Amino acid sequence: MLSPAKASFQRKLAALAGGTIAREGAAAPMPTEGPVASEYQQLLAALQIDMNRLRQIQGTAKKIEAKRGMIGQYLPWVEGALAAATPAQDEIVGNMLIWSLDIADWDLAYRLAEHFLRHGLALPERYKRQPATLIAEQVAEAGLTPEPNVDLVTLQKFDALLQGRDMFDQVEAKLYKALGIAFQRAADAFDATADNAVAGGKSALLKNARDCFQSALTLDKGAGVKKLIEALDRELKKAGTENSPASKE
């Protein structure tokens, strides 16, 4: 556990890592000497120890739980990096982006994702994908599990952040499918009497779900949404019939 003084020291150093002069097209390299470099190398050594510990854990759930216990010692540095006037290409921050996605810390993950995409930062070398692709896939997969651990609002935030980013069609389709499922779940749980009930009611949520599934299908014919679209079409048709003037006579 870091002391408050040590945490403050790390935040200040991380904020200085990229320097103060804006650079076009690429992040600044991490300094190789001085207080920033010294603290950074110490954290990298600690991260290597943690990574070795993680390699010895076989179960996915146990790995995630271990990351939740490990991530705290790196957060002061991460907070400093996020507050920097200009970014540095930082292995600590890159790994914590991955960890935050893995442990479903969506607030931190979003802030780091926005930081990476805004500044064009690269992921650690062992990750062969571009940041937008990895972020989209990790978020989508969280929404496609039998018990999703990401909610509709969070999915919408990431979708907005990733709009227009270059990624594989199959990955983008996954994100649309996850969004569609989230809209569908919201429709199933819709309460017209709730203070935050969406405009348009359940039908609007179902239409949004269908639109997302259709976008997924357009991008990837193998996205696995055809039956979901057919089921929604039947439900929307039924809802339209029930709400038609003739049905109320």
Side-chain angles (χ1 to χ4, degrees), residues 218-239:
T218 300
L219 287 162
D220 179 14
K221 300 302 181 185
V225 296
K226 289 181 181 178
K227 290 185 178 180
L228 295 172
I229 291 172
E230 291 170 2
L232 279 174
D233 283 342
R234 290 192 296 270
E235 191 168 357
L236 284 165
K237 184 177 180 181
K238 179 181 177 182

Side-chain angles (χ1 to χ4, degrees), residues 102-208:
D102 288 343
I103 68 175
D105 184 340
W106 299 120
D107 177 65
L108 178 61
Y110 182 85
R111 291 165 62 211
L112 285 170
E114 193 277 334
H115 177 75
F116 259 70
L117 296 175
R118 175 159 50 94
H119 295 296
L121 302 178
L123 293 169
E125 286 186 9
R126 67 182 182 280
Y127 296 100
K128 303 304 180 184
R129 290 172 292 177
Q130 293 297 314
T133 299
L134 183 142
I135 293 162
E137 189 155 35
Q138 291 275 95
V139 174
E141 288 180 352
L144 293 174
T145 59
E147 294 295 330
N149 64 354
V150 58
D151 61 26
L152 174 57
V153 172
T154 299
L155 282 165
Q156 289 176 299
K157 282 180 62 178
F158 276 97
D159 178 54
L161 178 66
L162 293 162
Q163 282 295 314
R165 299 286 177 176
D166 185 29
M167 67 183 77
F168 295 115
D169 288 349
Q170 293 89 339
V171 172
E172 191 172 3
K174 270 188 182 181
L175 184 56
Y176 275 120
K177 183 178 180 180
L179 271 165
I181 289 172
F183 273 117
Q184 196 167 23
R185 291 169 75 93
D188 292 341
F190 179 72
D191 178 3
T193 65
D195 292 338
N196 61 346
V198 297
K202 183 175 180 177
S203 291
L205 293 167
L206 291 173
K207 288 175 183 176
N208 284 336

Side-chain angles (χ1 to χ4, degrees), residues 32-45:
T32 57
E33 58 184 23
V36 173
S38 177
E39 192 67 27
Y40 178 66
Q41 290 301 322
Q42 289 183 49
L43 275 174
L44 276 182

